Each structure stands twice: as structure tokens, then as C-alpha cells.
């Protein structure tokens, strides 16, 4: 069985294992205060456009273990008790974290979305309605905005879209948090016009996903807004996200942000996904979302789906109608060209 | 200005003030362990069909101060950390409690509803989809069902509807909690076929609202399911709902459940609401919901709304279209016949 | 049985019942936005030294139902997730609220105390040790200080003591919150040199207890620090503390703060307690704490305790040794002189 | 600098890295549903005395990333809202997790301890006092007991001590949870008479620490009480503890529980610690606690401490008096014999 279910099927890029082996018997400080974390932070800041900069306007970088943990830690660190986080109804925090946000006391304020994105207009309309509600004190007030880049549907915000959303956030004093679990795949997406420094400039805090982009595990949180820097490490610890051997995260991100590895891996995934997408499109397959990233959502006639399923596995998405099934096909940094070719061949032979 | 905004505009039925005065200098135990609370509990149990019964199958009765507090206390006492409470999207716990449920760590699982009610069918479909979700562990699992009787839209469940909902709840082991903030008004609604003993028999826990039905304040929680009785008072205390001078609640409910006062007050409100409703209907006014209780939701042409607003106040509900506004008109135990007549007259003179 | 167990044994001062009756059929806004709440706030602000003042430096006043609810609401509104509240180990929030503070996510940082008070010195030492701990990120950081005035042991802070504590709080940017459940009894205590304006000036937020000082129920929160004013009503609502018929609280506090009633009631209690104390002292009875307020803590030889218990009830405090028992004797605004005389007589006849 | 600060200074046992490398490009299911996790669970169950057993009385095994996360997940999964967890005042959950337990709504009920252990007697006395308290509903009720084996002071419970504690827990229906962050080091401690099957039999849930015993990271939770098995994975996910590439944990524990590696590594640490301890003892150094495990707590005269600190680092523990400092010396699976020899030599040359 060749798996295209998700982007965390394999281990990690071999360079990481090599570096873990090389450093294995060094003794380092615990909890992320080691030299590898320091080095990794510098590389990340440099990639974010802060090379050589110093002072309080340089972002803080923190390493956490996984995505749910990261989202929960960031959101609970920012909100006051009566506030909620605005999210697309499809947002990971709303649907796939077993209520982790609510477990910290906050409602996810889910807005409708057909493609996984929020629009500046819809956020402004919603926030206005909350602020002006005659029941202001009886409803959860929006305290921040959460988006994913790319989204859970594989789509990306354009620079214009993100800038407009940011403008609304600033107008209503709502911190903007970008979930970058698949950040690399978004930045390398065909047609994307947002750079990593753009992302850093257009939000208050975001994270760079490692787990799905070449690391064994790990996410790097970048806090650009000074207001949210203080004692963030305490909150990481409280939420169970502070790794004793923090260097494991430092070593991984140091490796990924050396020689542009992170983005080269992302590019590979995006390209192989595009290859599959084009092959399917050429044969008339439709897609649920217009995704230029490593996740694509073809709608297969059931007989094709069944046939392919003998050799390949995908993530089931939904029954579109009585005769067709939508699935998610995921490529990753680890996807083999030969597996892609085999999939295309199997499909084309229908 | 004559107010029809809500059903908590006045103080309380005079009998209650009299009893407070009469007992004022008695010394009683604190925290609801006094003789008035005992007496009130007996009267309530009797009204629920447990007159003279003893033993573990007799419900526990507790008195709390307000509705949000009661909902939060009951729901947080029942759910495990990863569970949420199923509610109509219009449910009070979902929209008008500033995220009180979420503040205790639990998601409100809001299902669509056009009239404020949940159907057995929709709950079953939803629960099934959660239980069978391939992401079972990544989504909030339903842990109980919350409904309001009557609903926030003034509608009531029929005995058949409630029985079917209950059946689904039992099938999936989901405790059913009925928010009875306006319970009296539901039971006395025209066409209602549910008695108080029916309500008690068809759920695991419910509350009898005092605040909106003749009391100064106070809600009586009735726990019929033994599984949720243990240490409930500790949780009341923790959630800030245990009144030091608990007797104030006992005295009020003792008074309300003497001589059928509670239901006589409710009947008065329902009848005056029906009088207004009929007068409006006869002149062609439409209603948002088909409500037989003390809350009615007429859709006024804007010029009529403006004119009436000079002398009467209502709760704004929504702009139906560019020319019409829906409002909520609320009667209560305290509504004066003369005010009703004046409203009808003012309207009819249009 | 004549009860001296606590100060919430009776109803309320008759003036309050009269005013409730007088206003009973008026229609007012809900949730504390009525004219009685407005009037009560003005009277309280005036008593706090803000008569006629306007602008942002005038405190906000809010009315809540009970003490545990008030403590929880204030503390959870101020702390960030990783912070705790410093309290004497005997503090109400630490021992008698069923973990209400913890239920909102925060640790109570309990410091030892022999008389219920915290000293400036001990707070400074503790806070310093936390801030300088090499495990700074692994321990709960103090985020505010909670004290009771008077304390749970009936003792009061002197103006010097409170000023020094406040200085330490300011030095370490720790908001100071004063639980004034029995505030009147403290201010009227023999030897006390703190006025209500002093209290208001020496903390960031405090509350004036009504429940134990003549009201049916109710506590008035006074927020003097602008940083904690925003959206406090939302948090009251979320914590279940916003009374629908808010006017009940307004009417009570308006009455209590008219004609100095609140303090006259307090004075009565303090004087009757002193009378009992002196009578016991003259016969050689020792006391657990040197309390000048309405709570006194005599240590009775067991045979005396048993004899008195036939006619009087007290709150059991502790078994001091095998032959002696300490109890709490509580007087209140409602204590009858004749009951006091009877107690003294019964005791003296031993 | 040779570090003896803690037992998470190095990476992991080389066998683990080898296995990670070997399996790196395999595609496996996410979230701990892979074959390596299955294999690791079997090996752990076998070590716990369940080799070849099947059915509902076989424990559930789960893998989490770190200790704070594990403690929080287990404790919050078991307690009801008004309950707290009994712990020694020195317990990790009480002092070094930034209030993680409180962040889930529960108080840590800290009991005094001079050596890190709780006694059956003290727990019974405390629990009895809570259950019988006349303020039962106003205090946090104990809902479970937490102990560490070995403790934070390096001490271990004897089989008799643990059995007695367990008996008290059963008597009062209090689940017993054993934090085994350093479990191997306890089991291999000189004089210890508890086996892994004993541990499993004498509690309701415990965990086997990997992070400090040869793994890169990871803890294995073993749930022996059926009552706590249901939906535990949902709670792991909610608390941010479910690793996407769960196999990383499976591979590590599979390796550690093959060929008795876990215990061989532990034995090495315990032996090297004993070597240091004996060398210091022979020269008259006193110890804070009588620890037979990999953590020892010598009290150094300050001049010796300073001299050693030039070449070696320890964890500062406390200033015992004006002339002496207590430190923690930690060995681990990775401690080199040569470093131990060098430390002893440096010390002995004083």
C-alpha cells in the first residue's frame, strides 16, 4: 500500500537524524536554553527578515512539540477570560483538537467559509456586530483572530487578502495568529505572493510547522508583538509543551533552516502534488477546493476510488453524492517520484 | 413608558415579600440547610409527582441564584473533560452566557434550529456522526443534551417530541438537561401536553425557573438521575452559586409552590400574551415563531414599530427586511391587564 | 437555641424590606442598569471619598450576589494563566470556597499566618524568591495579593501595616485585592485607624460585603485601578454573578449607604462582641486571636462549653487540647442585646 | 565542564537512534496507531506481568511526550470538578509544573513531607478530616492520591509502605497515581523491594518515564483500573499530548523494553551514583536525604562547593546554613565512568 493520507507518514529528513547522532552525547542545558536552540532561533529570525537585527522589536522564537499544543498555548496566552477566538468553521482549532481551546476556557467563534479562508469583510462585519450588540456583556467578545496558512483545505491567502484582514484586526485591536502547521507548503505554493517576512510582518504571532515539513516533530512559534512576549515560556511549561531535552527541537530547526532545506522540502511536495493534480484534471476529475499546495481534494467516481484503493490510500473527505467520493491526497517532503508516477499510471489506466 | 421587554422587570409576587418580612428575624442555618428550603423541596417534589415518596429514587432538589449559574453548574458537573453539550444554536448556553460553559472547559455543540427546538432525528444523526467519525479522538464528543422548555423562541416541545428525544438520549447514554428558566410559561402554554411530572420523568436533570416567574430571583434544580446527585452541593459552592442565606430561596419557592401560585402566575402571563397575539394577528401582523407562551415575536412594519415605541418598549429582535422589524413582546406574572389593553388599543388605532 | 454561629443567620435590616416593597411593581432595566444601582453606586463612591468627582479616576462599582462568586470573578479577571494569587493560608479563597479559584485555572499561593494577616515583609520575601528562582518558568508566579479586612480570624490591619503591604505590591507590580466580606465590622473595630477612603486608596480593587452586614445578600466591588475596569461586567456575567433583577442589589446598597446605616449596623455588632469578650476575659477566658471585630474566638474549658451549648450555639473552631475547645462567637447587625445579656449571664453563673 | 545537574543532559541510547534511522522511510499510521506502538505496548505489558494475557483486565498503555503533560492529562481525566489531588508538598505537580494541575481546574492538596514520601497514616488522617469536616461542601475534597516513585528527593517507597498507602486509598475510594518519571532508577535502587508488576498491581495508573531513562523523550502511561480507560486518548489529544508521528514513541519504548535495556540503563545510573555517594560519605559529607537512586543530595562546605564548581556543575538545592550548601548530583544512563572517577578524585584531593 502506498500512502497519500497525510504528510506525517514518515520519520524525518536524514540530515536531522545525522545531526541528532552527531550531537547525541553532548551535555546541554535543558528546556530549550541550549546552543542549538539559540542557533535555530537566529536562523529562523534571519529567514523572517531580521538578520543581524537586535533589540526589543526582534521577535521571540519558541519551540513546541506539536500543533494542538501550540495553538492552545498561544491562544490561551493572549485571550482574557470572556473572549473567544475567531476562526473559520473549518479551522483546525474548531474541529480537530478535541476542544483544546475550550478546555482553556475560551469559545471558538466559528465563521462560515467555503474554502477554509476568512475574508476581511466577514471578520469586520462579525466583530462589529459583537461590539455593537445590545447584549454586549452577554455574548463572547472576539479577542483575537486565528487563520491557517495554508488552510485546512489547501488554499492560501494572497498578500492583498492577508493585508486587508490584518487591517481589520488592527482597527479592532484583535491580535492575528497564523497557524503555519504547513507554512512551507503555502509559501512554496504556485501563485503564492507571500514571503516568510511578509507573514511575520502581517500578524502578531505565527508558527512554522516542522512536524509536517521534514522534522520528526516540532513547531516554532514566532512572536512579533511585544505585548505577548512576557512569560510565554511559563505558559508553554504550564500547558505541557516544554520539552526537557529542548535541544531536540533546536537541532531539528537548525537543520531545516540551513541551506534552505525547509523550503526545498516544501517545494518538492508542492510540485509532486501539482503533478498528480494535473494528471487528474486532464482526465476530467473535479476538485473540491482550488488548492495549489501539497493537499489536493479530487472528487472520484466511486468505481475509480475503489480501484485505486487497492494499492493506494488517501484520506476520506466526504461523499459528494451517491456516485462520487471526495478524498484528500497529501504529498510531503518525503513523497517518492516513483510513487507519484505509479499513482498517475494506475489512474490513467482507467 | 410601558415595558414589554422581558419578564424580569418587576420585583416579585407580594406573598413572597410578606413571607420574607414575617420570617426576617428568625435565625436559621446557612447555605440552604434551613427548614424553609426543606419545606420548599417537599412542595416541589410533590408537584413533580413524588408526593410522600422516599428513598433513593426521589430526586434531589437544590436552589441556585440565577440561570447562567445554574446551567454552568449542572453542565460542568456532568461532563468529562473532552465532552461537549449538544444545544440548539439558539440555546441560551450557546449565545447569551458570555461563554460560561466554555469557561468550565467544554464546547457547546450547536445544532441548527429554526424554532429553538432540537429534533430527536437531528440529535441522533449528529451523535452517530461523532461516534463513528474516523477522527473520533480528535473531535469533541457529545456528553449530554441541553434543551430549553419553553425555548428561547417561545416554542414548546410536545410530549411526543420530548419522548423521542429522550429515547435517543438513552440510546446513546447522553444525559438530558432541561433549562426551565420559563418552565411555568411552557407548562401553561395553550396546547401544551407536558405536565411537570412528565418533565421530571423525561430527563435526567432540569430546573424550575423562579426569577422570571414571580420570584425575586432563584432557580430550583431537580436531579432525577442518581448518577449526578453525589457532591452536587460542592459544585454549587465552587461555582459561586451557594447563597449564604439559603432560606431566601427556600422561602420564595415555598411560597410559589403553595396554592399553585407558580402556575397561576404563569397562566396569567400566557393569557395576556395570547390576547396581544390575537389582536395583532387579526390585523394581519405576522410572527417569527409560532409561540404559545409568554414571549411572542411579531414582525412590525417600521412605521408601526416607531409609533408604538413612543409609549411602549419591546426587545429588538432583528430587521426582517428593509421595511419590517421583528421584536419580542414579553408578558409576565406581573403584567397589568390595563397595560395590555392600552397596547392593543394603540396598535389598533393604526 | 440562641445562635451566635455566624453573621448571616437572619434576613436583613427592615429598611431594605420596606424599600423592596415600595419599589416592587416599578419596571426597571435588568442586569444592574437601573436607577437604584446608579444611586447606590453614587452613595458608595461618596463614602469612599469620591463625592462629586467625575472622570476616569473615579472607581467603577459593581454589584454581585455572594462572596465566593466575587472573589472568583475579581481574581480570574486579573490574573494571566500562569499566575497565582498570594493569600494567607487561612484566607477564605484558600480554604472555604471548594477550590473556586483553582476552578478558574489559578493556584492559591498560601503563605503561613498565625492571625490571618500577611506582612509586607513576608510577601516581599516570597515574591522575591519566586522572581529569582532558577526555576522561574517552572513555578507559579505571583500575579496579585489577596487579603481580607477584617481577616477570617477577626483581626484587622493597621494603616501602617496596610500601607507597607501596598508598597511591596506596587514595587513588584502586584495588584492588591481586599476581600471586605465583613468590611464594616473592620472599619468599626475598636482601635482601627483605616477609613473607607483609606481602603479605597490602598488597593486596586476591594469589595464591601452586604450579606454579613445587613443585606439579604450582595457584595459591592469597587475597582480603583483603571487597568481592571474594562469588560468587567462581561466577566461577572460569565461567572454567573450578574443578577437579572440587578435592582435588588441596588436597592439594598442604596439603603445601607443612606444615613450611614451600613456603619451603624456594623458598630452595633462590634460593640456587642466587645461586651461578650470583656465578660469572658474578666473570668479568665483566653482567646485564640486578639480580635476587635464581630468575631471572637474564646477557648472554653469543655465543661463550660457543654453547658453553654444547651442554650447557645457557636461555630466549633478547634480542640485546643484535651480539656479545652475554641469556638467562634459571631455577633451581627441583628444581634439582640437581650441575647447578649443572657449569654453573659449563663457564662457568669458558672 | 562536566555536568551532573540532571538526567536529561544527553540525547538517547544509541540503539534508539539506530532504530529511528532504520525505520525512517516507512510509512505508518499517525497518532500512535502504528505497529511500533503496538509492539512497545506488548513489551511493556509483559514487563508489568501481563505477558500473553488478554481481556479487559489487561492494562491500557499510552505514550505521551513529557512528564508535566502526562501528570496533567492523567489527573484531569480522573477528578471531578470539586476534587483535588493529594500530593506531598514536594511533589512535582505541586512545585515544578507552573500550576498545570490548577490550570485544569483542580487544587493540589499538599501534605507535609520531609523526604518526599507520603505515609498511609497521614493520608488517612487528612482524608478523614476532609470527609468529616462540617464544612464538607466548602472545602476541596480529595479525589485521588499522587506519589512519585522514586520521589523528587530520590527516596523510594518500600513494598510495605506502598501497600499500606494503597489500602487507605482503596478504603476511601481514592485512585492512586504513581509518577514514574524516574521509575527505572527506583526499581534498580539498592534495597528496593518493589518490582514493576508490584507497581502495576498497587495503583490505578502509573507512568514509566522515558525522557530521563534513555529515550529522547516520552512517557508510557499504564492504566490498570478499567474505570479510567474510556476515551483516555481523547483527553490526551485535548491536552496536546498526542504526537502526530506516534511511532517515534513506539520505537523508543520498543527499544528500551527489548533485552531489558531500560533497566540496564537504570542500573548503571544507580551504581555510579552510589559510587559518588560512598566516596563523599567516607570523607564525612552529609546528605539531605537518604537516597538510594540516581539523585543524591550532598551538603558541601562552601569552599569545597566552590572549588568543585570550577569543573563540575550540579543543581543548586538550598543553603543549609551560612557555611554549607546542598546540591543535587544526578547520574543517568549516560553518565561516564571516567567523569565519575574525575569527580571523586577532585573531591578527594581536598
Amino acid at each position: 500500500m502506498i500512502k497519500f493520507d497525510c504528510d506525517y507518514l514518515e520519520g524525518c529528513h536524514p540530515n536531522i537524524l545525522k545531526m541528532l547522532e552527531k550531537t547525541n552525547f553532548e551535555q546541554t542545558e535543558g528546556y530549550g536554553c541550549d546552543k542549538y536552540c539559540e542557533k535555530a532561533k537566529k536562523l529562523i529570525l534571519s529567514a523572517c527578515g531580521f538578520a543581524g537585527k537586535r533589540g526589543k522589536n526582534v521577535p521571540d522564537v519558541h519551540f513546541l512539540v506539536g500543533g494542538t499544543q501550540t495553538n492552545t498555548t498561544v491562544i490561551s496566552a493572549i485571550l482574557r477570560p470572556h473572549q473567544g477566538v475567531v476562526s473559520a468553521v473549518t479551522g483546525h482549532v474548531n474541529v480537530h483538537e478535541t476542544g483544546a481551546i475550550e478546555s482553556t476556557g475560551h469559545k471558538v467563534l466559528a465563521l462560515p467559509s467555503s474554502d477554509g479562508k476568512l475574508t476581511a469583510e466577514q471578520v469586520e462585519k462579525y466583530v462589529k456586530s459583537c461590539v455593537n450588540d445590545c447584549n454586549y456583556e452577554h455574548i463572547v467578545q472576539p479577542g483575537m483572530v486565528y487563520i491557517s496558512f495554508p488552510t485546512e483545505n489547501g488554499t492560501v491567502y494572497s498578500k492583498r487578502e492577508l493585508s486587508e484582514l490584518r487591517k481589520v484586526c488592527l482597527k479592532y485591536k484583535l491580535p492575528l495568529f497564523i497557524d503555519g502547521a504547513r507554512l512551507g507548503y503555502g509559501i512554496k505554493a504556485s501563485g503564492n505572493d507571500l514571503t516568510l517576512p511578509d507573514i511575520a510582518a502581517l500578524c502578531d504571532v505565527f508558527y512554522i510547522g516542522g512536524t509536517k515539513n521534514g522534522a520528526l516533530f516540532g513547531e516554532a512559534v514566532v512572536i512579533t508583538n511585544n505585548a505577548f512576549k512576557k512569560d510565554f515560556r511559563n505558559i508553554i511549561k504550564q500547558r505541557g509543551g516544554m520539552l526537557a531535552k529542548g535541544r531536540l527541537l533546536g537541532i531539528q530547526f537548525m537543520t531545516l533552516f540551513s541551506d534552505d532545506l525547509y523550503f526545498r522540502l516544501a517545494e518538492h511536495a508542492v510540485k509532486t502534488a501539482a503533478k498528480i493534480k494535473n494528471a487528474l484534471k486532464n482526465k476530467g476529475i473535479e476538485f473540491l477546493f482550488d488548492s495549489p499546495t501539497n493537499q489536493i481534494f479530487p472528487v472520484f467516481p466511486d468505481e475509480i476510488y475503489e480501484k485505486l484503493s487497492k494499492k493506494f490510500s488517501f484520506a476520506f473527505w466526504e461523499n459528494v453524492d451517491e456516485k462520487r467520493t471526495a478524498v484528500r491526497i497529501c504529498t510531503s517532503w518525503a513523497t517518492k517520484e516513483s510513487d507519484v508516477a505509479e499513482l498517475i499510471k494506475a489512474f490513467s489506466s482507467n
Side-chain angles (χ1 to χ4, degrees), chain A residues 157-216:
Chain A
Y157 289 81
S158 70
K159 189 165 180 175
R160 194 179 54 75
E161 288 171 336
L162 184 58
S163 302
E164 281 173 3
L165 185 56
R166 170 67 162 170
K167 225 165 116 182
V168 167
C169 288
L170 289 173
K171 182 171 170 188
Y172 293 93
K173 294 186 182 159
L174 294 172
L176 178 60
F177 168 38
I178 300 177
D179 176 336
R182 295 186 169 95
L183 192 67
Y185 301 135
I187 285 177
K188 285 299 172 184
S190 149
N192 169 56
D193 62 352
L194 282 162
T195 64
L196 188 53
D198 287 339
I199 296 277
L202 288 169
C203 68
D204 298 90
V205 51
F206 70 103
Y207 80 87
I208 301 170
T211 302
K212 291 165 178 163
N213 202 118
L216 286 169

Side-chain angles (χ1 to χ4, degrees), chain A residues 20-303:
Chain A
L20 286 177
E21 215 179 323
K22 189 176 157 189
T23 60
N24 192 45
F25 283 100
E26 289 180 23
Q27 293 191 317
T28 58
E29 293 279 305
Y31 305 113
C33 300
D34 60 279
K35 62 180 177 182
Y36 297 109
C37 285
E38 281 318 296
K39 176 76 177 156
K41 287 177 187 181
K42 270 189 195 155
L43 290 168
I44 285 173
L45 285 173
S46 182
C48 290
F50 293 86
K53 295 202 177 145
R54 280 163 182 259
K56 73 178 177 65
N57 289 325
V58 174
D60 279 0
V61 181
H62 301 277
F63 300 113
L64 283 89
V65 172
T68 295
Q69 190 185 82
T70 303
N71 287 334
T72 308
T73 304
V74 169
I75 290 170
S76 68
I78 289 179
L79 295 179
R80 292 189 64 208
H82 65 296
Q83 296 176 327
V85 55
V86 177
S87 163
V89 68
T90 48
H92 204 260
V93 294
N94 191 44
V95 290
H96 279 136
E97 303 187 351
T98 326
I101 302 306
E102 287 85 1
S103 85
T104 67
H106 303 286
K107 198 180 187 82
V108 178
L109 303 165
L111 302 189
S113 172
S114 60
D115 62 355
K117 295 197 277 181
L118 291 176
T119 68
E121 196 189 349
Q122 96 182 117
V123 170
E124 175 152 33
K125 195 178 155 194
Y126 174 71
V127 174
K128 247 180 165 169
S129 79
C130 291
V131 172
N132 297 328
D133 196 309
C134 58
N135 288 312
Y136 178 88
E137 294 150 347
H138 299 245
I139 63 173
V140 177
Q141 288 297 328
M144 65 188 293
V145 174
Y146 162 95
I147 60 171
S148 311
F149 182 87
T151 70
E152 293 75 9
N153 298 145
T155 54
V156 293
Y157 289 81
S158 70
K159 189 165 180 175
R160 194 179 54 75
E161 288 171 336
L162 184 58
S163 302
E164 281 173 3
L165 185 56
R166 170 67 162 170
K167 225 165 116 182
V168 167
C169 288
L170 289 173
K171 182 171 170 188
Y172 293 93
K173 294 186 182 159
L174 294 172
L176 178 60
F177 168 38
I178 300 177
D179 176 336
R182 295 186 169 95
L183 192 67
Y185 301 135
I187 285 177
K188 285 299 172 184
S190 149
N192 169 56
D193 62 352
L194 282 162
T195 64
L196 188 53
D198 287 339
I199 296 277
L202 288 169
C203 68
D204 298 90
V205 51
F206 70 103
Y207 80 87
I208 301 170
T211 302
K212 291 165 178 163
N213 202 118
L216 286 169
F217 62 90
E219 326 294 322
V221 174
V222 181
I223 306 180
T224 58
N225 186 329
N226 288 326
F228 307 124
K229 290 178 177 175
K230 187 163 163 44
D231 290 349
F232 191 76
R233 277 174 57 85
N234 300 51
I235 299 179
I236 295 176
K237 176 64 188 169
Q238 185 185 48
R239 298 286 176 219
M242 188 168 283
L243 200 63
K245 298 179 185 171
R247 76 198 214 175
L248 300 179
L249 294 160
I251 289 167
Q252 293 187 83
F253 276 96
M254 182 184 77
T255 307
L256 288 172
F257 279 82
S258 295
D259 303 323
D260 210 32
L261 180 61
Y262 185 77
F263 291 111
R264 284 189 287 125
L265 294 179
E267 194 165 27
H268 169 76
V270 167
K271 281 191 174 164
T272 47
K275 210 175 276 183
I276 298 170
K277 192 176 169 187
N278 290 333
L280 300 184
K281 243 186 181 163
N282 289 340
K283 290 274 187 172
I285 293 295
E286 290 174 7
F287 290 79
L288 274 190
F289 313 105
D290 186 19
S291 159
T293 60
N294 73 317
Q295 302 183 87
I296 55 175
F297 300 83
V299 180
F300 285 129
D302 286 346
E303 67 276 11

